[in-house]
Every structure is written in structure tokens, then in C-alpha cells.
Amino acid sequence: MAVEDSSSSGSEQAWLQVVHTFIQKNLCSTSKDPCIHLVEAVVDCVKAIWASSGGTGGLYLPLSYSFVSVQELRTHQHLPCCSHLAWSSTEYQTWANKAGLDRVPLPRERLILVGTLTDLPGDLDPELRDGSLYVKDNSGTLDCELLDLNLSWLGHLFLFPSWSYIPSAWQRSLSGSGHLELLCPPVPVLPLGFNHDPETPIRVLYPEIAFHLLQHRSKFRRRQLHLAGQLVRLSTLVKTHGKTYFILSLGGPSSATTPVPIIVQIPSQLVWHHALRPGHSYVLTNLQISVIRGFSNRIWATGPSSHLMPLEPEHVQEFNVEELILETIPNLLPVPSSSQEHHNSIREVRMLSYKGTVTKVLNDSASLYELDGQLCLCLAYQQLPNNGRAIRPGAQLELQDVHFFQSVGGVPTLAPCLRGAVLLQGFSQQESLKQSPHSFCGVVLHLRLLLERHMGLPLYLWTARALEEITSKLCPHLLKHHQLLKSSASGTAGLGELLLAPTLDVLAPPGRSIRNVYQEIVEDPHHCPLQEYSLLQPPCSFPTLAALKEDAQCRAWATFDPMTLLPLTEVNHLPSYVLNARLAWSWVCLSPTFFQPPPVLLGVLVASSHRGWLQLRDQSGSLPCLPLPEPSQAFIDPRLIGSLVRLERFQLVVEREVKSTFPSWKELGIPGFIQERRTNIYVLFSLADALILPIHSPSSHHPSPRGPPQAKFPRLEGPPKGQSRLLLLSHKECLMKRNYQSSQGADPLPPKPTLSFHASGTWLGGIQRKEGNDWGLPEPLGDESQDQKVFLLFFGQSVRWFEFLHPGQQYRLIIHDSTFPGLLKEGDSSPLSQRILESTGFTSCLIVQDDWILEPGNPQGIPGMLGISQGLSESSLTEILNGSSPGSFVSFSAEILSRTRCVSLSGTTQQGNSQTSRYGVKLTVALDAADVASPIPIDVYIEAPHSPLPLGLLPGARVYFQHLEKKVSRFQNVYCRFLPSSYLRILSFPTEAPVSSSLPHIYLAELQGDSLGPSPASASCHVVSVLSVQLLWICAHCTSICVQGQCSRQGPPCPTQASVSQANIRLLVEDGTAEAVVTCTNQQVAVALGLCPSEWDSLMELVRIPGKVALHTTRAGAQSEVTSKTDDPLMFFLQTLCSSPSVLRPVFFTFELKRKPTRVMPLEPPRLHRFQFGEIPVLTRVVPRLSLSCLSLRDPEPPDILSS
Ligand SMILES: [Zn+2]
Ligand SMILES: [Zn+2]
């Protein structure tokens, strides 16, 4: 006996003693005597394998090896490993080298594993068997995979000479343990019983006949028959409705034989799936024809007494076919030719077989792999048992009957459906794990989407990619993987599914059709979801915010062309400071359709206390945003903060700011004159277009390592304590840096300006305290007559409320902490608030603390509080345009017509000595009033210190302004200034396609009188005379006259010698109803003079020599008087031209009133004019002529002769 071998050394004795104890504990069924024999058998088995390994080093026993139990592997082995008792180091090295140069092979442990091979999971009900294999000892069971199973091995004790152990990455999965990969056939510890050959040959049916019997069930319904044939098709193990089964098909030696399908659904027979190899021949005994629910045709099925055995021709005999056929199918032969058609149809769906090695896991949740470094393998359409856990990088596969796609998403792809077989041909040598810890819930989600929506492969691949994009955007800092991927237990969709649903509902609505398993596996012509192959235009993508911003920025600057931003007819008359100012600000609006595929915006809505903006945020960064509930409504609900926002419709705005020094229009093509470019990117969206999904933010547990910390909104969880008070907000001041101290220190003097804002309003009722889940009735006010006005001061963290607070809205201010019971009533008594009270005249002042909460106010339950709401106050048109009270405040809503950069008003006055001029924004907005024919433009100046500028101040947007200062310019025009105490709110975004309306055609008399006529408008007139012409060349830099192309400025010479031409002409026109003086400029002058472009250019070249030519005519009677010297040929030409019929002719022009509606000068009264009729002087009252600015000018259309 080995244990008592006298020649063994002490260490061997000790080793054997340990082995004895191990076997006693883990392998013996009882603790009695027979164990000695088992130990002996095991040790003999070990010795035999050890001796054959060639790496013994002269030892009889593998002393460096130790026995390991199943339980020890499960609990202590956290890293993948392998063990090879039968291999020498060289053999291991050869095997490990197959892993590849850049791959880590499985590390070798010296462990001996002995156990029983079984298909019974633990001590569970045998009916629960699902075809999985296990290794079992007294300590437990462990899942295992092997390449070729001999059914006679089941239930026997084996020593496993070579195996790998792969611990599970899915710690939360059901099994919670890893699995074994058995690399070599196991070695039986005790001799296996012999399979006796049957004494009498088995009478079998061959597939051809068996197939026909399926059509004629009646006589054979109860009869058990044996089938023999070659395995031509083996389906995967299918699990539906809690039942597991597989279908195999036996065929004949000729490919013309129609394969006959056999279903195996007896739990104890599912393990056959491991033993069956396509191409081999088998006998299956005691089969019956049966009808399976959900299957349209009859099928052969195994019974509890069925057996599987290899086909040995000497032990079988064909059933009496003659008798059978005559009995059942009188007109059978010859075999129908349908089988040939079946094979044709199989070819049509492009199925093939392939052998290859898995080189990469492309997406473990979506079951996507890379094969041989060049193919994509999608295993999602085939339910692999245990999710194909052995399919890791390095595993060798044989694929049979799989669909082949030349190019889906650019890569050739193999995808087996339930018909195809994925056979493991070799285990991986690599250490790499198949799954990431999160992939388990991902796999479930992918499968769920695939099955519920019956997706074809292109859509499935897109879905997998979209989920990958979403995951990388949000997990793990904003959302945990399981929050995104998991479906809730009640079967409702999880976040990931909800985010994809709007897109998928269009392409693949759920519940379209159910996959027919039988049809997919057995029937010809083949039918499965993988055949529905059509090229899919990616419906959308989920780019990271950083990538989207970068893309938008690139597109915006790619379209930035100074030449196209400014019309050429206009640009060549502009001096450089005008030119550069016009280029200083421009914007582009990119809608999702600008991108391919259109992006879906996805992020968590956060409020920034650093900029006061709202932002969408993902792991890559953030994007400022401006949401509007509906046009004209204010966004007041901060409870949306922290929610996930998904947007398909939005406007991505890119504002471009340029600092340039173009000397004149001629250099516009030279990018070197652009010194600085700045970009502001943000998004405008309507809440109605957004899918808003509330999430429980994990960020409190996992603070984002990047970016500034975001203001967190304390959430009301559970019944809140504390006090609250309703507030009607009447005014909010703008967000800017003010001299407050952000910390509540004792020193009231500010260390530096802090971003802050003020709001004021009125308390509605008294303090309310929490009663259960509701607020109690308001406490009675101490003094009803006391002023309930309150002044609120926000800085530091509380700046985050800025976007939610709007005048006219009700809010509830909530203070959780009840340690200051009188806070809301008495006001803050800090020195800062005392100072504010003194300077503002309010009776109470609150400094809003970081943990205070503002909610949309709901006055429900408070007597007398219902229906209090305040509209936006608007000043009347007279109040706005009346110039008598400059310095007063006005409020109005208007549409922005244009936005330009301007030098800040205060920047020039207060900081006149500063070299850097500060820039502000000039908005020209259109006031619309019911009693005026056309909108009245008015300028609003927002000066530089008001940083950050509000988002969405774009031409076409409607804005409400409150508390603007009204001013009158030195040209007597009314304009407005946005002050630190002013408020503005975007009412609606610019429409994506601005509607251009044609101008009204009028008679000039319509413009006379007190009412404001339509302007701009168009009119058809006759040119009566030319009042003046001025042609000049000016220096593009300093606008002095250039004589012979040289700037005439005295003092320091100009840095450039660029000159631009300018021209203006004043025409007296009449249309039979009234007269008007029209001023035309630049290019319009050429049209007015009736000159073609080349004639105009020649004329201007002649003007270059004197630098300026001016012709003034006065109209006294019918005489024109020229006030310039007439001996100059150029003057003579102009004079002649201006009195010729080529100028004095009918014209069609568009114009606007020169006197702006915002100009406060009273209308000129009719004045007395002296005329001389021969000797007699006549005094006549003359209505002042209309003064118009020309917008465009052309010859009238020739009258349509045919229609007259
Ligand atoms: Zn298929
Ligand atoms: Zn100059």
C-alpha cells in the first residue's frame, strides 16, 4: 500500500498524510474504513499521471502539489489560474506561448483537483437540470466546461489532470462562483463500468423514412421507434418559459436527404448537448412523434427511456421499411424533390461555417466579439448556455450554419441564430476575463431589447453602440452602471431603455412579432430575425458633450468668412473701425440636422453657482443651457435639477467673438488680421421637447474628480422639518460681481467682488410649519399693517437659484433648520443686512443661506391666497418714447433685431484713462405696439461689467426687459441702458427659419401727418432734381480725406495707406401725392446716377485725385445753382449728368424714415416760405418735406404690355 511504503521519505509520508486527511474530508461518502481504498486509488492515479508527465525530477510523488477542494477554489481563488499535473514546464510553456506575445497567459498553480463529474447542480431537484456540467466533492459543486463529453463519465470520480479556473466577475450573479475549464479528458479514479454491446441488433429507422413518418402521425403516435443517422444540425440549448430544450437533426449520407428534427427536452438528457458532435453518427432510442406547443409541425421527441449512443453499423438493423411504408404512405416513393429546394433556400440566406479564434471582446454586454482580428461575431441571437462563459479571448470556436454579413457598420460580421451552432474547439490560455463587473445587467438589457423589439442585426448593433455611448457619458460618476442598465424588478424599463425608447419606438416598436423557435431551427425555408437585413442609416448618436462642443466649434469657425459675413457692396465703403466692429460678434445656430447622424443631447441638468447658468453635464464636461417651458413662460421649478435630460430637438448656439485689425475690406481674406477668437457655446431648448428622467444622484457618494464642484440641491426626502413662507417676487436684479463677502465672517468689508444678485418681493401670509407631509396654516402676523416687503440677497452657493427666480412668480422659501425660529420673521441681523436695510429702505433683509430651499409657491390651503399672480409690467409706448423724462425707468418686451459690439459707455467715461476699452453689447430691439403699423426699433445697451452676459440674446429672440434706464442721445434719439438693477428674461428663442416679409408699397402722402406711417416701405416716384452729390475717398484708418490716395491727416502719419470710397446723393422725388428728399449712399449713388459699374469705377478713379468732389444745387424757382467751381471738367460732367433725363427719371425705391420714431424732436410745423413771382413776393405755408433714407433703388419694371 502506497501509504505504508517503507521506502518513502519523511516528506512523502507527510504529504501522504495530508492527502489522506483531505480525501477523508472531501471525497469519502462516510468516515469509515473504505476510505483507505479510495486514498489508495487516488494516490495511484496521481502517481500514474505524475510519472507520465516527464517533469517528475526523480520524485515518485508530486510533493510540490497540494489537493484543492471545490470550496477552497470558490472562496480563496480570486484570480484566474491553471494547473497541469500531467505537464512538464516545457509543455506548459508551449501551451502558454499560444496565448500570444502581448497577452498574459494563465498563471500556473500546483493544485490537484479530484471530483465527481455530474449534471446535477448540488443537491437540487433532478428536474432542474439544464444541461450544465459540474465538478462535485463533499465541499460543494463548481460549474465546469469541457470539450467532449463521454456520457458514461457522469456520476464517476475523476482526477482532472489539466484545468483552468476562471473566477466570476459578476459578483452578484446567481452562482457567485467561477467555472472550471477542463483542458484534458478526465482520468477515472476507479475503473468505469463497461458498456455492453446490445445482444440483438437495434432496429432503427433512417432519416428519410423518419421524415416521412412525421407527415403521417396517426398510426405511429404511440409507437416508440429508434432513429439512426448522421448529426447534421445541432441547435443551441433554448430556454423559454422556464423550459430548456434543444433540437438536433439527423441526416443521411447524401446531402439530398431531408434532415429529420428531434427535440430533446427531458432534463436528464440535456447534458447530451455536450456529447453530440456534428458530423458524427448516432442512434437515439425510444423516440415518439409528438406535437409541441408553439411548433407548427410534428417533431420526433425523446422520452424518459431514450438513450443516445454512437452509431455502430454492426449493431443496428434497418426497420422493416417495406411494411412500414406500405402501411402508412401508399404513394410514397420516390422521395419528393422538395429537399433540393430546401438546400437552395439555405444558400439564399447566406449561411456558412467558420473556424477561428476569439481575439477580443468588443462589447461583452452586447455579446460582440472579434474573431481572428478581422471579423465581428455577434452571439446575441443565440442563447448560449451560461452566456458562453468559456468564450474568452483566446478561445477557439467552430461556427456552423451562421449568417454572414459582408458589412454591417463597416466590419464583416458573423451572427448565428438559433439554428446555427457555436462549438468550442479549444479553451483560452489567456488570463483575460470575459466580463466586466457590470456586464451582467447589460447582457439582460440587451437581450430584453433584442427580443421585445425583434431587432435585426443592423439595429441591434446600433443599439449596442448607443448604449455604450450613453454608459461612457454617464457612468460611473453621474450614474451607477446598474441604475442605467438594470430594469426594475417590476418589469418596467430602466433608464437606459427609457433613453433609447423614443428612437427605437420609431424603428422597432415593441411586440412586433414573436420569434418562432421551431421555424428558426428546423423549417425550410429558414426564417429568423437575422434575415431582415437592410442598410440602416444610424438614426442618431449620443456624443459626449465635450465632443459635441468641439464639433460645433469647428463647424462654426469653418463657416466664419469675413467676406461673406459682410455684403461686398457695403463693405468696400466701410472705414476699418466700423468693419472690425461689424465682425466682432456673430453667431451660428446648429440644429441636430446639421450633424450626421443627428446627435441626441443627453446630460444631467445642474445649476452652476459659478456662472449662474444651468448646464447639461456628462462625464466629459458641461454645456450651458437655457430651457423654456413654453414661449413666454418662466422656468421656475428647481426640482428638475439633478434630472437626466434627453433632447432630440434643440438649438446649439455658437457665438463667435473676434478681435481683428483689418485695415480695410481688401485684406479681409488674410486671417493674420484676426488676433483673438473666442467662442461661447450653449444650447436652447423647450422643456416640451425634453424627456426628463429623475435620478437619485450617486454623486454625493462619488464626487466627480473633474471640474468645479456643482451646487447640490438638498432634496426633500422624508417629511421635512422646519419652516417656510410664501413669497411673491416683484423684482430681480442682474447677476454680477458685487462687493459682498461670500463667507459669513465678522468683517463686513469685502475682500473682492463676489458674483451675486438681489431680489425683492412681498411675503404672502405668515410663517408655516411642517405638519406631517404638509405645511400648516400660516401663523398670524403680529402687525397686519407692517410692511411685508422683503429683500433677498444671494451670493456664494445660493447664486444657483438665479435662473429659477422671476418677477411675478410665487415661491416658497423653506428653511430646514428650525434652530432659528424667528429668522423668516425678524430678518437677519448681521451687519451686512443692517447696512442693506439702511440703504434700501426695506423692512426685512435675508441673506439666503446655502441650505435654504426655494420651490414654486403653491398657496393652496391658505385662506385668501388663491389666485394671486402678477403679470409682467410693461410701460406704454408713450412712456418709452417720450423724451421729457430721461433717466426714468421703463419695462417692455421686444424682439431683438440685431446685436453688435459697442464700446462700453461707462468704459469711456469712468475709465477714460485706461488703455483697454471695455466692450458692451448694443441690442437693437423692435418694440411692437398695437397702434403702430410697423415695429419701432430702439437700442438697448448692456455694458461690459455685467458678466456673464445672459444666454440667448440673439437676433430673432423675444426678450422682456424690466427696469431699464431711459436715455436721450445727443441726436435726440431715445435709447435704454441695462443697469445692475435691471432684469431681463428670454421669452422665446429665434425661429429657425426667419420669415422675410415684403415691404408695403405706399404713397408718400401716407407718411405725412401725426400718425407714424409704415416704415420701412417702398414707393414708385419720379426724380425731380438732384439736391447734392458728394463723392470722396477717405482713409480707412482715420476717415480723413485722402488726396491722390494719401491720407491728409496732420500730425502722426497713419499706419496704413488704405482708402475707401464713399458717396451720397440727395434726390428730390415726388409721386403725385407729396414730395420727399431721399438720401442714397455708396452703391446706390451709382444707380441713382444711372451709371453702370465700369462707368462708376472710372468716375471714382477720377475723384481720387482731388479726394473729394461735392456738388450742391439750390432750387430757386426753376433755376439750379451750382455752388462749386464750374471750370473743372469733372464738376461739369457731374452737373450735366445730374440735370439729364438719365437721372431725372422714374425710380422704384425702398426706404425708411430718416427721422427715427425714437427721436424725440417734435414734428416741424409748416413754415412760411417766400417765393418771388416776377416782381411780386409771395409768402406761402409749406409743409416740411419728408426726409427718407434709401434702402434700395432700381428702375421700375417696364409696364406689362400684354396685360394692359
Ligand atoms: Zn437564421
Ligand atoms: Zn488716416
Side-chain angles (χ1 to χ4, degrees), residues 1065-1085:
I1065 188 167
R1066 285 170 69 234
L1067 303 172
L1068 179 68
V1069 301
E1070 57 93 13
D1071 70 346
T1073 67
E1075 279 186 337
V1077 175
V1078 183
T1079 308
C1080 305
T1081 53
N1082 298 333
Q1083 209 63 37
Q1084 295 161 2
V1085 178

Side-chain angles (χ1 to χ4, degrees), residues 349 351 401 403 415-419 520 526-531:
V349 298
M351 285 177 126
D401 291 338
H403 294 271
C417 60
L418 292 178
R419 172 176 292 213
E520 198 169 319
H526 177 60
H527 184 83
C528 79
L530 284 169
Q531 288 169 301

Side-chain angles (χ1 to χ4, degrees), residues 90-270:
T90 330
E91 277 174 294
Y92 168 72
Q93 214 50 54
T94 315
W95 176 79
N97 287 345
K98 286 185 199 159
L101 281 178
D102 49 345
R103 306 302 164 102
V104 183
L106 284 162
R108 187 178 187 177
E109 299 286 341
R110 296 182 178 270
L111 298 169
I112 298 172
L113 183 68
V114 179
T116 308
L117 198 62
T118 175
D119 62 339
L120 264 173
D123 300 325
L124 298 172
D125 182 0
E127 290 303 304
L128 289 176
R129 283 183 277 198
D130 64 353
S132 299
L133 283 172
Y134 307 89
V135 168
K136 182 180 167 186
D137 67 10
N138 291 348
S139 70
T141 52
L142 195 57
D143 295 32
C144 82
E145 299 282 344
L146 49 65
L147 297 180
D148 261 313
L149 175 72
N150 185 328
L151 290 175
S152 66
W153 293 346
L154 290 175
H156 291 279
L157 188 66
F158 287 95
L159 189 148
F160 302 100
S162 188
W163 48 268
S164 308
Y165 175 71
I166 313 296
S168 171
W170 300 345
Q171 291 305 324
R172 291 199 189 98
S173 70
L174 291 174
S175 64
S177 68
H179 73 273
L180 284 167
E181 293 176 355
L182 305 178
L183 305 178
C184 300
V187 178
V189 171
L190 303 166
L192 302 176
F194 284 106
N195 272 344
H196 294 287
D197 290 330
E199 281 165 13
T200 51
I202 304 172
R203 302 217 309 160
V204 296
L205 282 177
Y206 287 105
E208 204 170 293
I209 304 301
F211 182 79
H212 288 296
L213 291 184
L214 283 179
Q215 328 291 322
H216 301 274
R217 176 190 52 145
S218 55
K219 290 227 169 182
F220 298 91
R221 194 170 181 181
R222 304 269 166 231
R223 200 144 168 204
Q224 296 202 327
L225 295 167
H226 315 309
L227 260 61
Q230 190 185 19
L231 182 67
V232 292
R233 198 181 289 152
L234 176 65
S235 86
T236 184
L237 275 163
V238 182
K239 230 179 217 179
T240 47
H241 307 292
K243 251 189 117 139
T244 309
Y245 58 88
F246 68 92
I247 295 172
L248 61 108
S249 300
L250 294 182
S254 131
S255 65
T257 316
T258 309
V260 58
I262 302 163
I263 185 169
V264 180
Q265 49 185 346
I266 310 288
S268 62
Q269 294 165 0
L270 295 176

Side-chain angles (χ1 to χ4, degrees), residues 825-875:
K825 197 190 279 178
E826 303 298 329
D828 190 344
S829 58
S830 74
L832 179 57
S833 56
Q834 285 305 321
R835 278 200 318 175
I836 291 165
L837 286 182
E838 280 160 25
S839 59
T840 56
F842 279 83
T843 47
S844 71
C845 170
L846 290 177
I847 297 168
V848 177
Q849 304 296 308
D850 292 354
D851 59 341
W852 293 6
I853 290 176
L854 280 152
E855 271 184 7
N858 177 11
Q860 218 174 3
I862 305 178
M865 284 301 160
L866 283 171
I868 293 183
S869 66
Q870 211 180 49
L872 297 173
S873 62
E874 302 230 6
S875 311

